[in-house]
Amino acid sequence: MNDGLDSPFAFNLAELAPSDASSEEALERFWAGDLTVLSQHHTMPNGSHRFVLAHDRSVTWGIPGAPQLVAVAVARDLSRGTYTFKTSYHATASFAQNWLVERGCPPERITVPDSSYIKPADDLTVQVEQQIRESGTRYKVLDTHTSDSEPCETWSLVRDSSAAQMPVRVFHEEWDYDAGTYTMREGAFADVDAARSWLDDRSGPLPEPPEYSDHNGAIVRARVARIALARSADAAAIQEAARDAPRTPPAGPVQQPVRRLL
């Protein structure tokens, strides 16, 4: 599915001129036919900004390990008759969302519904993803890798500008398609060579960041506890609504969740 992203009409740009050469080039390269939209947000008035998070199926036939999630940010300036069009590829949804948030998208508006995406396996996964999504320019991505065959995983190798110790971080995401869940974990290393050595060998568990065990660890645990409480409350509300809802058979075939990596 492409959710109506056939450019340029999907973004209402046909009557507008590019504000710069990079926007014109990005739109010319853009092809929505292979995209599955995971989340998107429009702003008012007249949809002047549009933010899209999508999975690009064509990447699976390209360079092995290339990131498969694309973030799209479009701004329309009707007073000047121009637009800006930017895209960026990422290994994980949380880094793509961070890129969109940095360009003006409210973080709560670009979340991915569980109905179209495999779910986080635990509350620590939710916490780590939220940390990435709201990190601003804290992380400089050095390298990524995506594998949609065994092992089904991605990793992002980054430099953490806020880390007092072990500034090189690895964010490792692993999927369990049979369970319909995934986990995200953060590892800390002294330098890039040490991080790559772990990625190559996997001879031990992913080393936890030092802040997980010092006084900041209490903050991490508190955040995870708040997330768990919020998710429990949401689940209870959903169950109560389901009990009150009329028991009617579905009108047609049930749509299956979309796997992010096809």
Side-chain angles (χ1 to χ4, degrees), residues 70-184:
V70 59
V72 183
V74 181
R76 301 164 64 241
D77 189 337
L78 300 182
S79 63
R80 297 184 177 182
T82 61
Y83 69 85
T84 60
F85 190 96
K86 299 183 183 299
T87 63
S88 181
Y89 276 81
H90 303 268
T92 64
S94 48
F95 275 104
Q97 290 163 335
N98 169 263
W99 187 87
L100 292 169
V101 169
E102 282 300 287
R103 280 147 188 83
C105 183
E108 69 277 6
R109 298 293 186 179
I110 201 66
T111 57
V112 179
D114 286 342
S115 60
S116 61
Y117 196 68
I118 56 177
K119 301 178 182 180
D122 52 32
D123 298 315
L124 181 56
T125 295
V126 178
Q127 157 64 21
V128 173
E129 289 190 307
Q130 180 180 340
Q131 173 183 312
I132 296 170
R133 190 163 48 245
E134 301 176 1
S135 63
T137 59
R138 172 179 174 180
Y139 299 118
K140 179 182 179 181
V141 178
L142 307 176
D143 195 10
T144 69
H145 184 81
T146 298
S147 171
D148 50 10
S149 58
E150 293 297 333
C152 295
E153 64 174 17
T154 72
W155 52 258
S156 298
L157 176 63
V158 309
R159 189 174 299 278
D160 185 354
S161 62
S162 298
Q165 307 175 57
M166 303 291 186
V168 174
R169 302 297 167 95
V170 169
F171 289 96
H172 180 250
E173 186 182 64
E174 187 172 12
W175 312 296
D176 183 345
Y177 283 131
D178 292 334
T181 61
Y182 68 95
T183 58
M184 172 74 87

Side-chain angles (χ1 to χ4, degrees), residues 20-27 29 85-86:
D20 50 47
S22 62
S23 293
E24 181 177 20
E25 182 181 355
L27 184 60
R29 293 198 315 263
F85 190 96
K86 299 183 183 299

